Amino acid sequence: MQENIQLFRGGIFYFSNNDPHSFRFIQDGALVIKGHKIVETGPFSPLKIKYDVPVVDYKDYLIMPGFIDSHIHFPQLSIIGSYGKHLLDWLSNYTFPEESAFSSAEYSKQMAKQFIHHLLKNGTTSCMAYTTVYPNSTDALFEAASAISMNMIAGKVMMDREAPDILRDTPLIGEEQSRHLIEKWHHNGRNRYVITPRFAVTSSREQLRTVGKLHHDFPDTYIQTHLSESQQEISTVLELFPECKSYLEVYDKAGIVTDRTVFGHCIHLSDKERQRIKSCDSIIAHCPTSNLFLGSGLYPMESSNELGIQTVLATDIGAGTSFSMFKTMDEAYKVQQLNNYSLNAFEAFYKCTKGAAVALKLEDEIGSFDSGCYADFIVVDPAATELQQLRKDDLLKSGKWNIENQLFGLMIQGDERNILHTYISGKRCDN
């Protein structure tokens, strides 16, 4: 028996190249893991002969890379579904009061465990998360992720205005606290740091410049913020920064429009802003459940694709209404239908697995089953409910139970019930 080798049998699905049309599906396949990482995939029978190890048998299910959620707010899980009206009202009435509770280290630790529990339950194995202005909330999330060797990208929120006093830092304090957290957590295990000014409304010119300075000093960190989520937000930003002709220019002047910047939403961009995002190779996180919940608008996926902008899918918990990337894909499909663009299943799954990994420059570690990647994967039952089973039976009768129809069914009807198990670094973590 070969030491530290695990062999999982099932329908193996993943994207093999940087293209949503370049996927690999092995109906009776095997995923071979050594320690924390993937060795190879292939047809089950020859790999069973090659590796003399017991088989973990999921032959009636799909085995695919875990989901990557590229825009999510750790402290907002308890306010999902709060009656929100519009973005700025929602922040004032729900987000800020809840985030103030994270001044407590104990509360932060309790909520970090709950947050990761819900990620795993929904098959999300990596995420890019906003914490709060309090450094202990960032510590709590990294500590909880480290306990299971989870890939976690997170950062302390920086806000020095237009927020309650108890949630404000200053440009100097925000920079010093962020610098300390970077030195403590960035590349500590599988953790990475993302410098996190909430958005231009809550960060002054001086604070945004400190973000650019921090990224210059630590160039392999990420930057995350919000951009052009709603028309009201855009108007507010332009009032606060009258010297700028566009919202994106505010960030550009601060030096934070980079190839490691993830902009949340980006619904109402001008053509010039979109061209600038493309030229800098920045990333847009499309958050459809949040955009619909707050009535913010419809993200133009087709034109973004045509321009070559990197778009990934994200939940935006807690204005987003579900931790499930299946639900996120479902709502993304509906948003694009309203835009007269049909989002197919392969593109949707790509944007929250391999495509997200490529955008985040982590394709050598997560998002696929390439040799050497971490064994972060999910076991999926495509017919976990009675209605899904009826759909499967009908497609089997017509000979159309193929991988595309399985994925599309999951995308439209799926939720946490379809996630049978979640594995992080080769270890089952959903129990």
Side-chain angles (χ1 to χ4, degrees):
M1 184 176 293
Q2 301 185 53
E3 190 175 359
N4 295 325
I5 295 285
Q6 297 182 81
L7 192 151
F8 295 85
R9 182 183 189 180
I12 305 296
F13 175 82
Y14 66 103
F15 294 94
S16 51
N17 290 306
N18 302 350
D19 182 342
H21 303 292
S22 183
F23 64 88
R24 190 178 187 200
F25 175 59
I26 311 166
Q27 186 164 339
D28 187 13
L31 175 68
V32 183
I33 295 168
K34 182 175 183 180
H36 300 305
K37 297 190 175 182
I38 293 162
V39 176
E40 63 177 311
T41 59
F44 171 72
S45 294
L47 288 179
K48 171 58 180 165
I49 294 170
K50 181 177 179 180
Y51 296 96
D52 180 24
V53 295
V55 175
V56 183
D57 197 341
Y58 295 127
K59 64 182 178 182
D60 296 325
Y61 306 107
L62 294 174
I63 299 175
M64 64 179 66
F67 295 124
I68 303 166
D69 188 344
S70 301
H71 182 103
I72 187 169
H73 294 264
F74 153 48
Q76 294 183 20
L77 69 162
S78 66
I79 57 173
I80 297 171
S82 300
Y83 179 62
K85 294 186 179 180
H86 298 290
L87 171 63
L88 299 182
D89 293 328
W90 199 84
L91 286 172
S92 297
N93 293 334
Y94 302 107
T95 302
F96 292 156
E98 174 59 17
E99 290 191 3
S100 66
F102 284 76
S103 61
S104 163
E106 185 58 35
Y107 185 72
S108 296
K109 291 177 182 178
Q110 291 173 7
M111 296 305 284
K113 292 178 181 177
Q114 285 289 319
F115 180 74
I116 287 180
H117 165 75
H118 285 285
L119 290 174
L120 299 177
K121 183 179 179 180
N122 285 278
T124 298
T125 54
S126 297
C127 75
M128 178 175 277
Y130 290 66
T131 64
T132 74
V133 72
Y134 305 112
N136 62 263
S137 67
T138 308
D139 288 332
L141 186 55
F142 278 131
E143 288 166 2
S146 297
I148 58 170
S149 299
M150 183 179 187
N151 181 72
M152 178 59 66
I153 308 171
K156 166 199 137 59
V157 167
M158 302 167 74
M159 295 195 295
D160 67 337
R161 66 176 184 185
E162 301 294 329
D165 290 345
I166 58 173
L167 288 176
R168 293 186 194 181
D169 51 20
T170 67
L172 179 60
I173 291 172
E175 179 185 0
E176 289 178 344
Q177 290 178 338
S178 297
R179 187 177 296 274
H180 173 73
L181 289 165
I182 292 168
E183 292 170 345
K184 181 176 182 180
W185 290 111
H186 192 51
H187 294 301
N188 179 343
R190 297 186 66 191
N191 299 303
R192 288 176 171 84
Y193 197 84
V194 54
I195 307 166
T196 307
R198 179 177 234 111
F199 66 152
V201 173
T202 54
S203 285
S204 65
R205 295 166 185 79
E206 293 74 21
Q207 183 162 78
L208 292 175
R209 282 196 289 267
T210 69
V211 173
K213 180 182 177 183
L214 281 167
H215 186 65
H216 178 269
D217 292 346
F218 301 96
D220 67 342
T221 56
Y222 299 93
I223 300 168
Q224 66 179 351
T225 192
H226 298 78
L227 174 64
S228 296
E229 183 174 356
S230 73
Q231 295 287 4
Q232 182 187 10
E233 172 199 8
I234 295 168
S235 297
T236 302
V237 169
L238 294 179
E239 289 174 5
L240 292 168
F241 296 87
E243 73 278 13
C244 293
K245 295 180 180 179
S246 72
Y247 193 162
L248 184 65
E249 186 180 347
V250 174
Y251 295 138
D252 222 354
K253 283 181 176 291
I256 60 178
V257 182
T258 77
D259 65 349
R260 300 183 74 87
T261 303
V262 179
F263 291 112
H265 308 295
C266 298
I267 299 168
H268 307 286
L269 297 177
S270 67
D271 290 342
K272 184 176 181 180
E273 287 174 303
R274 287 153 55 77
Q275 289 285 352
R276 180 60 177 159
I277 285 174
K278 165 57 183 172
S279 70
C280 293
D281 213 20
S282 300
I283 305 150
I284 293 176
H286 173 36
C287 309
T289 73
S290 172
N291 298 158
L292 293 174
F293 177 70
L294 293 176
S296 300
L298 308 177
Y299 175 71
M301 182 81 78
E302 183 178 23
S303 58
S304 295
N305 288 349
E306 290 172 350
L307 195 58
I309 292 174
Q310 299 183 100
T311 301
V312 296
L313 294 179
T315 63
D316 193 29
I317 295 295
T321 53
S322 175
F323 272 86
S324 173
M325 293 305 295
F326 293 137
K327 291 291 187 185
T328 300
M329 288 185 270
D330 177 30
E331 296 301 294
Y333 174 81
K334 295 170 186 174
V335 166
Q336 299 316 314
Q337 286 290 92
L338 292 170
N339 280 333
N340 296 312
Y341 175 64
S342 183
L343 177 67
N344 67 56
F346 295 123
E347 180 182 350
F349 275 83
Y350 177 80
K351 288 182 185 298
C352 51
T353 56
K354 177 81 169 187
V358 170
L360 297 172
K361 306 183 188 306
L362 293 174
E363 65 268 33
D364 293 336
E365 297 186 24
I366 59 175
S368 80
F369 288 155
D370 293 339
S371 178
C373 283
Y374 280 92
D376 297 344
F377 65 94
I378 53 178
V379 182
V380 179
D381 181 355
T385 69
E386 291 180 1
L387 284 176
Q388 290 168 355
Q389 185 63 51
L390 284 171
R391 180 179 181 275
K392 176 181 177 179
D393 292 343
D394 184 65
L395 288 167
L396 283 169
K397 288 177 187 177
S398 61
K400 296 179 180 178
W401 184 242
N402 55 34
I403 186 58
E404 184 173 10
N405 276 327
Q406 290 184 55
L407 294 177
F408 189 72
L410 286 165
M411 168 178 164
I412 302 302
Q413 295 181 303
D415 58 29
E416 67 271 16
R417 291 171 294 180
N418 296 96
I419 305 296
L420 195 65
H421 298 303
T422 301
Y423 285 78
I424 299 284
S425 297
K427 182 179 179 181
R428 184 177 156 188
C429 292
D430 56 286
N431 48 5

